[in-house]
Amino acid sequence: MTSWVGRTAAEIAAAVREKRATPRDVVAEHLARIERLDGRVGAFRVVRAEAALAEADEVASRPDLAELPLAGVPVAVKDNLAVRGEANRVGSAATPEAPAAEDHVTVARLRAAGAVVVGLTNVPELCVFGTTEGVHGTARNPWDLTRTAGGSSGGSGAAVAAGFVPLALGNDGMGSLRIPAANCGLVTIKPGHGVVPAGISDGDWFGMSENGPLATTVEDARLMLAVLADTDPEAVRPSEPAMRRIAVSLRSPLAGVTVTRPWTTAARDAAGVLIKAGHQVRRADPPYPLSLSTTSLTHWTAGTAVDAQDLDRRLLTRRTRVHAAVGRRFVGRVRAGDSRERLRRRMEPFFAEYDVLLTPALARRSPKSVAWHERGWLANVLANTNYSPLTPPWNLTGWPAMSVPFGTLPSGAPTAVQLVGRPGSEAVLLEVARQLEELHPWQRTAPLD
């Protein structure tokens, strides 16, 4: 009997389209793995076992089965996007328990493509922080269960890395796709602004948040991005590989934060691979402004203030209450200000010279998996800032950025690099990532068994 757990989304969809596998068998096998192992990992808030099997049967009966790009593929959805019939809790006790009447547009697109939603994944409260724990559960890194999976798409990242699903839907407002992907050895792309519908919470954190895929291969990430963007998969593939001008930067964008050796080593080694692939690679640092720390903090906290404004603050955890209170004083300034546009203008000459920026994805390994939601606000902010300073600039600009697995920590957990490009360069980033994958392949799922 063929096992579908651990297979790629592309492989599963091809088998279902060709009737070498049924959606029910594929989904049932993944549900069995979730039931057996998720107690250790904590990826899911809700597992939709009965509903998912029924939806798998519906996919099998579709007259367009042979054309579905994600036919029968089990997917997980981050618990800040609406799934019809399920409550959208966003990691909080303060959010409504009423089930959603309709799917979020990205969920609807996944289902239209033949995917089956097996569950909703854990997030930190209101998706604020880069660690995932709270009243609904704790998501741990399947490669090192003593460490957090990251956040805020931590449950989605853990679900894919554990082999519970081949694909998961998440989103990224200050690194919330790239952080768990880097921790958990996954491929992700935060698309540029407007490529994929957002509609995340109230105002998408002033337009900084983007929905995107978490996958174990570049091809699966490309396939899911095409579905989310409602475009032909070939639209996110360059017509042919080309030599790219690539800048390598090892420094933190935030003053006072250092990048540790395993992560700088990953970037250096990835640069070496790309040189051998024929790219023009140079050491060069983007012109990060000294004000970047302040700009990041004001936007981060103000986004939370907007999301929390209609919730009962007594039901929020202390770190979230403080984060929102800090942000309330900045909401007006963020809405009226031009700091993001000034950052874009400052970065444009650099990206006119270079096609791609290569950096470490993170500055250090992820924090321990402890009850961060019970700790103080400052402790959380410092932990987040010290380990993930490299992701926020590209939410502020609204430009595409990826995390790609490359290398390992002494513990055996993955390290990763970040690829950043100018607006509209998603296909270029995916092609560079594909070359890294081809020339330096990674282990796709964590050895939990």
Side-chain angles (χ1 to χ4, degrees):
M1 175 178 163
T2 300
S3 173
W4 297 105
V5 167
R7 305 291 286 274
T8 70
E11 290 171 333
I12 289 170
V16 170
R17 287 193 299 266
E18 297 163 8
K19 298 193 174 180
R20 293 183 284 112
T22 69
R24 174 174 275 265
D25 286 347
V26 171
V27 170
E29 192 177 349
H30 285 82
L31 287 170
R33 184 171 176 86
I34 293 167
E35 183 177 17
R36 182 163 57 90
L37 295 174
D38 195 40
R40 293 162 57 193
V41 177
F44 287 94
R45 180 182 71 82
V46 170
V47 178
R48 307 176 66 251
E50 186 175 337
L53 290 171
E55 290 170 18
D57 291 339
E58 291 173 8
V59 170
S61 66
R62 284 178 57 170
D64 59 347
L65 178 67
E67 285 81 49
L68 298 178
L70 295 177
V73 175
V75 300
V77 174
K78 184 176 180 178
D79 191 24
N80 68 339
L81 297 169
V83 172
R84 184 181 65 251
E86 304 292 345
N88 187 209
R89 298 310 304 274
V90 202
S92 181
T95 49
E97 297 182 22
E102 301 290 340
D103 286 332
H104 186 276
V105 60
T106 54
V107 177
R109 288 180 178 180
L110 290 172
R111 282 179 156 156
V116 177
V117 178
V118 300
L120 283 76
T121 58
N122 277 313
V123 299
E125 187 171 53
L126 304 191
C127 298
V128 175
F129 295 102
T131 60
T132 293
E133 63 294 301
V135 296
H136 298 296
T138 294
R140 296 175 176 85
N141 186 344
W143 293 91
D144 182 352
L145 294 170
T146 68
R147 298 277 162 179
T148 179
S152 63
S153 306
S156 286
V160 177
F164 298 156
V165 286
L167 292 175
L169 177 59
N171 37 58
D172 188 317
M174 292 292 263
S176 291
L177 281 166
R178 288 161 290 159
I179 296 168
N183 286 331
C184 297
L186 304 177
V187 180
T188 192
I189 181 165
K190 177 194 77 68
H193 186 65
V195 173
V196 171
I200 305 159
S201 299
D202 189 353
D204 307 325
W205 273 17
F206 309 101
M208 295 192 303
S209 293
E210 305 292 347
N211 292 309
L214 287 152
T216 64
T217 69
V218 175
E219 178 62 17
D220 276 5
R222 187 184 68 84
L223 177 62
M224 185 170 171
L225 176 64
V227 169
L228 296 175
D230 194 23
T231 189
D232 188 313
E234 295 306 309
V236 285
R237 191 198 302 272
S239 56
E240 60 182 40
M243 186 276 290
R244 305 293 178 186
R245 295 165 299 167
I246 299 175
V248 181
S249 176
L250 306 179
R251 62 163 285 208
S252 166
L254 304 183
V257 180
T258 58
V259 182
T260 59
R261 182 170 296 175
W263 296 90
T264 58
T265 298
R268 284 194 183 97
D269 291 349
V273 168
L274 294 175
I275 289 170
K276 291 178 181 177
H279 296 288
Q280 186 181 87
V281 181
R282 299 285 185 272
R283 281 288 297 271
D285 294 326
Y288 300 120
L290 287 175
S291 60
L292 186 58
S293 297
T294 301
T295 304
S296 298
L297 183 65
T298 56
H299 283 73
W300 183 22
T301 57
T304 302
V306 173
D307 287 349
Q309 62 189 355
D310 295 325
L311 300 178
D312 185 342
R313 294 173 192 169
R314 296 170 298 179
L315 298 178
L316 297 173
T317 60
R318 182 170 48 133
R319 67 175 181 177
T320 307
R321 287 199 307 272
V322 175
H323 206 75
V326 170
R328 280 194 291 275
R329 70 191 69 183
F330 299 130
V331 171
R333 182 198 304 181
V334 167
R335 281 184 173 146
D338 66 347
S339 57
R340 293 180 64 199
E341 179 56 33
R342 284 189 280 112
L343 179 63
R344 282 189 284 265
R345 289 198 302 267
R346 186 180 178 99
M347 293 295 177
E348 281 168 355
F350 183 86
F351 281 90
E353 183 175 357
Y354 296 102
D355 300 304
V356 175
L357 170 66
L358 168 68
T359 76
L362 298 173
R364 61 194 69 241
R365 65 177 176 172
S366 59
K368 286 187 176 296
S369 182
V370 295
W372 286 98
H373 63 296
E374 296 176 357
R375 297 189 176 187
W377 175 74
L378 186 58
N380 275 273
V381 168
L382 290 175
N384 280 240
T385 301
N386 285 332
Y387 103 97
S388 182
L390 295 124
T391 55
W394 316 114
N395 298 93
L396 292 166
T397 61
W399 296 351
M402 291 189 69
S403 180
V404 182
F406 201 99
T408 58
L409 295 165
S411 67
T415 50
V417 295
Q418 179 177 233
L419 302 175
V420 184
R422 63 178 74 99
S425 65
E426 286 82 3
V428 172
L429 297 183
L430 286 161
E431 177 59 24
V432 173
R434 185 197 63 77
Q435 291 178 314
L436 287 173
E437 178 182 35
E438 185 177 89
L439 297 170
H440 195 276
W442 50 80
Q443 186 174 339
R444 293 177 39 250
T445 53
L448 280 171
D449 292 308

